[in-house]
Amino acid sequence: MTTPSIGLLYRKVTELQAQTPWGNVLDAGTGLGSMRWLQSIDSSSWTAITGAESMARQIRQSPIYHTREQDRLLVDNWMNAELLANEQFDTVLADYLLGAIEGFAPYWQDQLFPRLRQLTRGTLYVIGLNPYVPYEADDEAGKLVTEIGRLRDACLLLADERPYREYPLEWVLRQLRQANFKPVEVQQFAIRYGANFVNGQLDMCAARTQRFKDRGLALAMTEHIADLRQRALRFVAQEGGLRHGFDYVIQAAAA
């Protein structure tokens, strides 16, 4: 798990909204976390989009899932120009959507905010993770986080899957302005990764080795995963977590 928790980031969105009514809300890339948040706010209606039928099924089966007649959970792809055609929303949430799009609409990230601008008549909130995988870290915690991220992405690629592709805060702000959004508030939240993060990411790696075509490589990678897990968990136990990088929350108005 990370510090801040995802719950804190949603609370920040609620704080930024202040006394403005939520109105009709679009959750542009839904999951269990944002669905829990949707259930907690006083919206006129909500529409939640996911590109994965498996995620929609998981949400529908969750005890947190409750709908009113006017609420919708849809499975679709943002590359579909007919998705929500001619609709607009008072509040739009895009939490970790930019990073996830690579798996559903690769090389389409520059089109996301123009697409969401068509649907936004009020405020867009963007929650994202500043990328760490491509960059060299200077400290031991950062090096471990980066090593975990690179190993995860390598395992996903060798298992014929696309890894997430996160974008820097500066890139996101630039794209928002180009799409006729006006950034109003930008906040960063330092991350401390714990044992749940280490185990979750490396369990994902271990599962993907079962689909490697080269069994010798799979065996070697399994040994490497075990070694990295041991080193990372030892550091977490000694230092109270892996402090590295940050999440960000952006509030942007439809210009």
Side-chain angles (χ1 to χ4, degrees):
M1 122 181 281
T2 63
T3 301
S5 69
I6 186 64
L8 175 58
L9 301 179
Y10 290 129
R11 288 197 296 274
K12 175 52 64 175
V13 169
T14 302
E15 177 185 315
L16 291 172
Q17 186 75 358
Q19 301 304 313
T20 304
W22 294 102
N24 299 319
V25 178
L26 170 63
D27 180 359
T30 197
L32 290 172
S34 60
M35 181 55 65
R36 184 176 290 106
W37 172 79
L38 277 176
Q39 306 288 346
S40 73
I41 64 173
D42 185 19
S43 64
S44 301
S45 70
W46 56 256
T47 298
I49 309 295
T50 177
E53 181 60 51
S54 59
M55 176 54 69
R57 187 165 53 252
Q58 188 177 356
I59 289 172
R60 291 189 184 107
Q61 293 172 350
S62 171
I64 68 170
Y65 183 63
H66 302 284
T67 61
R68 301 162 296 186
E69 183 179 353
Q70 65 268 35
D71 300 330
R72 297 175 291 177
L73 172 59
L74 305 177
V75 180
D76 213 320
N77 191 304
W78 282 113
M79 293 181 73
N80 174 13
E82 298 304 312
L83 175 59
L84 304 181
N86 301 316
E87 295 191 42
Q88 284 200 313
F89 298 84
D90 301 296
T91 310
V92 177
L93 175 71
D95 68 313
Y96 302 108
L97 176 60
L98 189 63
I101 271 187
E102 186 71 13
F104 301 94
Y107 305 110
W108 198 79
Q109 287 88 345
D110 64 321
Q111 297 300 307
L112 176 62
F113 294 128
R115 184 77 170 83
L116 294 181
R117 179 61 187 85
Q118 298 171 10
L119 301 170
T120 307
R121 62 170 165 249
T123 304
L124 168 70
Y125 292 99
V126 180
I127 298 176
L129 170 66
N130 213 55
Y132 58 83
V133 170
Y135 304 107
E136 293 290 344
D138 297 326
D139 61 302
E140 187 176 354
K143 288 178 180 178
L144 284 167
V145 171
T146 300
E147 187 177 353
I148 290 170
R150 290 178 176 178
L151 179 60
R152 175 201 62 216
D153 289 0
C155 288
L156 288 169
L157 289 168
L158 288 167
D160 296 323
E161 295 183 42
R162 287 181 178 272
Y164 278 35
R165 187 181 185 189
E166 306 293 349
Y167 284 78
L169 174 59
E170 294 78 10
W171 186 95
V172 176
L173 292 171
R174 188 165 61 246
Q175 292 293 313
L176 285 169
R177 294 185 180 102
Q178 290 176 4
N180 290 321
F181 281 106
K182 179 183 178 181
V184 175
E185 185 76 25
V186 180
Q187 297 201 20
Q188 300 178 20
F189 299 84
I191 300 174
R192 184 181 65 206
Y193 296 101
N196 286 349
F197 166 83
V198 174
N199 287 320
Q201 298 294 289
L202 296 181
D203 286 348
M204 183 191 305
C205 292
R208 296 319 186 272
T209 63
Q210 302 302 311
R211 290 163 34 200
F212 287 9
K213 295 178 177 66
D214 186 326
R215 298 317 303 164
L217 177 59
L219 178 60
M221 193 69 84
T222 298
E223 294 176 352
H224 180 58
I225 292 168
D227 173 71
L228 179 53
R229 189 191 303 268
Q230 183 180 47
R231 288 187 285 119
L233 290 177
R234 184 189 309 123
F235 189 95
V236 168
Q238 292 174 347
E239 303 295 332
L242 300 163
R243 293 172 173 83
H244 185 69
F246 62 90
D247 292 303
Y248 52 81
V249 174
I250 304 170
Q251 181 189 40

